Amino acid sequence: MTEFTKGIKKGIPIALGYLSVSFTFGVKAANGGMPVWAAVVMSLTNLTSAGQFAGTNLILGGGTYLEVAAATFIINLRYMLMSLSLSQKMREGTGIRSRLLFGFGITDEVFAVASAEPGSIGSPYMYGLIATPIFGWTLGTFLGAAASGLMPDPLARAMELGLYAMFIAIILPPAKKSRPVLFVIGLSVALSGAMYYVPAFHWISSGFQVIIATVIAAAVAALVFPVEESPEEAAQEK
C-alpha cells in the first residue's frame, strides 16, 4: 500500500462524518438565498464548519466584509496552531508549496489522525489524508444545497437545526470534564445575551457581537485559568 493510498484510507471515515454536517450546511445556505455554486465554492475554499456557519450567517444577514473576515479569522485561529504543530512531523525535504496546501486542509479530525501517525509524515500521505475529507465536505454541501429546493419547506427548515445540534454535541462533553471550557461557554453565552437584549449594545452589529464575546471570553479564561508550564517545557526554556 502506497503512502497516498494509506492517507486516503485514513481519510474515508472523516469524509463520511463530514457528509451529514456539510449536507445540513448546504441546506441552510440555500434556504438563506445563497446559490448552490456559491455554497459549494465556500465549502471547497474554507473547509471549516464553525467558520462557515458564522460567515454564512453574517453574509445572509448583510454583514460587512470586515465582520466576516474578523469572525472567521478568530474562529479558525486554532488551525494555525495545529498547522505549526503538525509541521514538526513533516518529513525533511517537504516543500513550502506542499506545506501551504496541508495547512489549508487541516481540520480538527485531520490533525488528530495525522498527529497519531507514528514517526514522520510524507507528502503523499498528507495529500491522501486531506483529499478525501475535502471531497466529502464539498459533496455534502452540494447535495444539501441542491436538495433543499426539493424538500418541503418545514423539513428544509428543520434540517438547519442539525448544525446547532452538532455544536452542542461538540461543546458538552469537554464542558463536563473541564471547568475552563465550561467557564468560557457560560461567559460567552452571557456576553452574547447581554449584547443582544440590552438596548445599550444594539449599536454593535451582530458580527462584531460574536467577535467581542469570543475575544473577551477567551482573554478572561486565560487570566482565570492560566496554563502552567510542564517541567519539561520549563527545562527547555532554561
Side-chain angles (χ1 to χ4, degrees), residues 58 67 71 204-212:
L58 290 173
E67 289 175 336
I204 304 175
S205 65
S206 60
F208 279 108
Q209 286 179 3
V210 173
I211 296 169
I212 292 170

Side-chain angles (χ1 to χ4, degrees), residues 2-237:
T2 64
E3 285 192 46
F4 180 74
T5 305
K6 182 181 178 182
I8 289 180
K9 185 177 179 180
K10 291 290 186 71
I12 289 176
I14 302 175
L16 293 176
Y18 284 174
L19 273 172
S20 59
V21 179
S22 57
F23 183 93
T24 307
F25 167 77
V27 171
K28 177 177 178 58
N31 286 346
M34 186 178 291
V36 175
W37 68 266
V40 171
V41 169
M42 179 178 286
S43 284
L44 185 61
T45 56
N46 284 272
L47 198 65
T48 162
S49 57
Q52 286 183 221
F53 177 73
T56 301
N57 278 345
L58 290 173
I59 291 171
L60 299 179
T64 65
Y65 290 125
L66 179 60
E67 289 175 336
V68 175
T72 53
F73 175 78
I74 292 173
I75 292 173
N76 297 329
L77 193 59
R78 68 189 189 279
Y79 294 131
M80 295 176 64
L81 301 177
M82 292 180 186
S83 298
L84 289 172
S85 174
L86 200 58
S87 68
Q88 307 304 309
K89 284 183 64 70
M90 295 305 302
R91 193 169 297 158
E92 289 188 18
T94 303
I96 185 64
R97 182 181 301 176
S98 294
R99 290 177 182 270
L100 291 174
L101 287 172
F102 301 153
F104 163 76
I106 291 296
T107 65
D108 300 276
E109 295 77 13
V110 169
F111 173 76
V113 172
S115 297
E117 194 69 21
S120 60
I121 301 174
S123 295
Y125 173 83
M126 281 300 300
Y127 278 123
L129 182 61
I130 67 175
T132 322
I134 290 174
F135 175 77
W137 184 257
T138 307
L139 176 63
T141 300
F142 169 74
L143 294 176
S148 65
L150 306 176
M151 296 180 182
D153 188 63
L155 177 60
R157 295 297 175 185
M159 286 291 295
E160 296 183 21
L161 297 177
L163 282 172
Y164 297 99
M166 180 196 69
F167 292 131
I168 292 173
I170 290 174
I171 64 176
L172 280 184
K176 292 179 179 179
K177 301 176 182 178
S178 172
R179 285 182 59 194
V181 173
L182 181 61
F183 176 84
V184 170
I185 293 172
L187 182 57
S188 299
V189 171
L191 290 171
S192 298
M195 286 187 285
Y196 183 82
Y197 290 107
V198 177
F201 296 111
H202 285 179
W203 62 273
I204 304 175
S205 65
S206 60
F208 279 108
Q209 286 179 3
V210 173
I211 296 169
I212 292 170
T214 302
V215 173
I216 292 178
V220 173
L223 293 173
V224 177
F225 301 99
V227 177
E228 297 182 0
E229 285 186 333
S230 64
E232 292 80 6
E233 291 175 333
Q236 288 179 357
E237 290 184 358

